[in-house]
Amino acid sequence: MAGQKIDGIAVANSVKERVRAAAETLRSEGIRPCLATVLVGENPASTIYVTNKQKACFEVGIETKDHKLPDSFSQQEMNSLIDLLNKDGTVHGILVQLPLPKQLDEFATTSRISPIKDVDGLTPYNIGLLASGRAILKPCTPSGIMELFDYYKIDLSGKNIVIINRSHLVGKPLYHLMLEKNATVTTCHSKTKNLKQHCLSTDIIITAIGDRSKFTLTADMISDGAIVIDVGTSRQDGKLVGDMDYENVIKKASYATPVPGGVGPMTIAMLLKNTVTAASISKGFVPSR
Ligand code: GUN
């Protein structure tokens, strides 16, 4: 029997409904939740992502302040912009779209954001809270994946999980969030030996490579009834595809996420959630984890 498709659009819509209600409550208290977006250069994928994030904000009643900057933007200019946004009382969340052009240092840039406006959860302070199991503003893609498990009532306790990614945006934060749920987590990367063996002997696979010319997760690489979450996106013959051969993997898996319509919508939904959380923090509210 084929496995169940994990419907990221439906789950994202349920998160958005809650965010819309929270934004309305904030407005009734005199706070207009606002996200500042910072996009440097004209990377086509980043431009689409930022536009989609702004549209989603508009749909749930979050205002946006758009900062589109030339490819030549310097670190000094970036520092001044972040300092200004940190001080601006009408801005509750700051999103600097990654990757940045090479003259800009990603760590120096994200580290400069005030931790209470850090809707990507990338500042050292928020990473530290995450590693301590106490984060409030968590990176959007990993927290979106956790929301999918919650929605489908998939219990991670005692499960073996393989993450194929070790980035700051996905693999590392996800490791902490899953460990917190008592899973046994293995992080695989480009130097991992016997990746197929790791995949075949695990209950859950999270794949986030994003280059089908280098890597495809095929049905022969998963165990019967495995759960597969696909974070990778790339283009094949002009079509958006994930890391896995979904058509065949879903025949063997118990659950799998499609691309598009899986993890992508969750990343945006969690950004909206983090923005209303940051707006609540701005009035002194301490949210529960
Ligand atoms: N680039 C790809 N994913 C993300 C994300 O979640 N946040 C930011 N800021 N940039 C990204």
Side-chain angles (χ1 to χ4, degrees), residues 53 95-98 120 141 169 267:
K53 288 170 183 179
L95 173 120
V96 178
Q97 186 66 25
L98 304 175
D120 264 320
T141 300
L169 276 170
T267 299

PDB file of all heavy atoms in Angstrom, residues 53 95-98 120 141 169 267, ligand 1:
ATOM      1  N   LYS A  53       7.441  35.563   0.628  1.00  0.00           N
ATOM      2  CA  LYS A  53       7.356  35.836   2.072  1.00  0.00           C
ATOM      3  C   LYS A  53       6.550  37.116   2.326  1.00  0.00           C
ATOM      4  O   LYS A  53       5.709  37.177   3.220  1.00  0.00           O
ATOM      5  CB  LYS A  53       8.771  35.953   2.668  1.00  0.00           C
ATOM      6  CG  LYS A  53       9.484  34.600   2.759  1.00  0.00           C
ATOM      7  CD  LYS A  53      10.964  34.704   3.123  1.00  0.00           C
ATOM      8  CE  LYS A  53      11.610  33.311   3.118  1.00  0.00           C
ATOM      9  NZ  LYS A  53      13.047  33.318   3.427  1.00  0.00           N
ATOM     10  N   LEU A  95      14.505  39.945   8.472  1.00  0.00           N
ATOM     11  CA  LEU A  95      14.913  38.783   7.689  1.00  0.00           C
ATOM     12  C   LEU A  95      15.926  39.215   6.634  1.00  0.00           C
ATOM     13  O   LEU A  95      15.603  40.018   5.767  1.00  0.00           O
ATOM     14  CB  LEU A  95      13.690  38.168   6.993  1.00  0.00           C
ATOM     15  CG  LEU A  95      14.075  37.052   6.028  1.00  0.00           C
ATOM     16  CD1 LEU A  95      13.418  35.754   6.429  1.00  0.00           C
ATOM     17  CD2 LEU A  95      13.783  37.381   4.601  1.00  0.00           C
ATOM     18  N   VAL A  96      17.140  38.723   6.760  1.00  0.00           N
ATOM     19  CA  VAL A  96      18.154  38.966   5.725  1.00  0.00           C
ATOM     20  C   VAL A  96      18.208  37.695   4.882  1.00  0.00           C
ATOM     21  O   VAL A  96      18.602  36.624   5.377  1.00  0.00           O
ATOM     22  CB  VAL A  96      19.543  39.253   6.339  1.00  0.00           C
ATOM     23  CG1 VAL A  96      20.579  39.457   5.236  1.00  0.00           C
ATOM     24  CG2 VAL A  96      19.486  40.472   7.254  1.00  0.00           C
ATOM     25  N   GLN A  97      17.769  37.796   3.636  1.00  0.00           N
ATOM     26  CA  GLN A  97      17.708  36.599   2.798  1.00  0.00           C
ATOM     27  C   GLN A  97      19.116  36.082   2.478  1.00  0.00           C
ATOM     28  O   GLN A  97      19.996  36.851   2.090  1.00  0.00           O
ATOM     29  CB  GLN A  97      16.928  36.910   1.498  1.00  0.00           C
ATOM     30  CG  GLN A  97      16.676  35.709   0.611  1.00  0.00           C
ATOM     31  CD  GLN A  97      15.746  34.657   1.233  1.00  0.00           C
ATOM     32  OE1 GLN A  97      14.921  34.969   2.093  1.00  0.00           O
ATOM     33  NE2 GLN A  97      15.877  33.416   0.810  1.00  0.00           N
ATOM     34  N   LEU A  98      19.328  34.801   2.639  1.00  0.00           N
ATOM     35  CA  LEU A  98      20.611  34.148   2.363  1.00  0.00           C
ATOM     36  C   LEU A  98      20.468  33.303   1.088  1.00  0.00           C
ATOM     37  O   LEU A  98      19.356  32.865   0.778  1.00  0.00           O
ATOM     38  CB  LEU A  98      20.993  33.256   3.551  1.00  0.00           C
ATOM     39  CG  LEU A  98      21.067  33.978   4.903  1.00  0.00           C
ATOM     40  CD1 LEU A  98      21.327  32.979   6.017  1.00  0.00           C
ATOM     41  CD2 LEU A  98      22.135  35.056   4.893  1.00  0.00           C
ATOM     42  N   ASP A 120      14.683  34.417  11.989  1.00  0.00           N
ATOM     43  CA  ASP A 120      15.308  33.233  11.375  1.00  0.00           C
ATOM     44  C   ASP A 120      15.974  32.354  12.430  1.00  0.00           C
ATOM     45  O   ASP A 120      16.450  31.258  12.100  1.00  0.00           O
ATOM     46  CB  ASP A 120      16.381  33.660  10.370  1.00  0.00           C
ATOM     47  CG  ASP A 120      15.854  33.704   8.947  1.00  0.00           C
ATOM     48  OD1 ASP A 120      15.072  32.803   8.593  1.00  0.00           O
ATOM     49  OD2 ASP A 120      16.242  34.620   8.206  1.00  0.00           O
ATOM     50  N   THR A 141      12.666  26.565   8.626  1.00  0.00           N
ATOM     51  CA  THR A 141      12.492  25.261   7.968  1.00  0.00           C
ATOM     52  C   THR A 141      12.479  24.124   8.999  1.00  0.00           C
ATOM     53  O   THR A 141      11.555  23.289   8.983  1.00  0.00           O
ATOM     54  CB  THR A 141      13.572  25.049   6.883  1.00  0.00           C
ATOM     55  OG1 THR A 141      13.429  26.098   5.912  1.00  0.00           O
ATOM     56  CG2 THR A 141      13.426  23.704   6.200  1.00  0.00           C
ATOM     57  N   LEU A 169      21.042  26.579   8.577  1.00  0.00           N
ATOM     58  CA  LEU A 169      19.611  26.834   8.357  1.00  0.00           C
ATOM     59  C   LEU A 169      18.760  25.586   8.560  1.00  0.00           C
ATOM     60  O   LEU A 169      17.600  25.676   8.918  1.00  0.00           O
ATOM     61  CB  LEU A 169      19.387  27.350   6.936  1.00  0.00           C
ATOM     62  CG  LEU A 169      19.577  28.843   6.683  1.00  0.00           C
ATOM     63  CD1 LEU A 169      19.561  29.136   5.188  1.00  0.00           C
ATOM     64  CD2 LEU A 169      18.495  29.658   7.369  1.00  0.00           C
ATOM     65  N   THR A 267       8.072  26.605   5.695  1.00  0.00           N
ATOM     66  CA  THR A 267       9.128  27.580   6.009  1.00  0.00           C
ATOM     67  C   THR A 267       8.514  28.979   6.099  1.00  0.00           C
ATOM     68  O   THR A 267       8.787  29.742   7.038  1.00  0.00           O
ATOM     69  CB  THR A 267      10.225  27.544   4.920  1.00  0.00           C
ATOM     70  OG1 THR A 267      10.792  26.241   4.906  1.00  0.00           O
ATOM     71  CG2 THR A 267      11.315  28.577   5.173  1.00  0.00           C
TER      72      THR A 267
HETATM   73  N1  GUN B   1      17.634  31.151   2.284  1.00  0.00           N
HETATM   74  C1  GUN B   1      17.107  29.907   2.160  1.00  0.00           C
HETATM   75  N2  GUN B   1      16.332  29.611   3.229  1.00  0.00           N
HETATM   76  C2  GUN B   1      16.363  30.701   4.037  1.00  0.00           C
HETATM   77  C3  GUN B   1      15.760  30.993   5.292  1.00  0.00           C
HETATM   78  O1  GUN B   1      15.038  30.203   5.904  1.00  0.00           O
HETATM   79  N3  GUN B   1      16.049  32.228   5.805  1.00  0.00           N
HETATM   80  C4  GUN B   1      16.876  33.115   5.162  1.00  0.00           C
HETATM   81  N4  GUN B   1      17.098  34.281   5.762  1.00  0.00           N
HETATM   82  N5  GUN B   1      17.445  32.868   4.002  1.00  0.00           N
HETATM   83  C5  GUN B   1      17.190  31.661   3.443  1.00  0.00           C
END
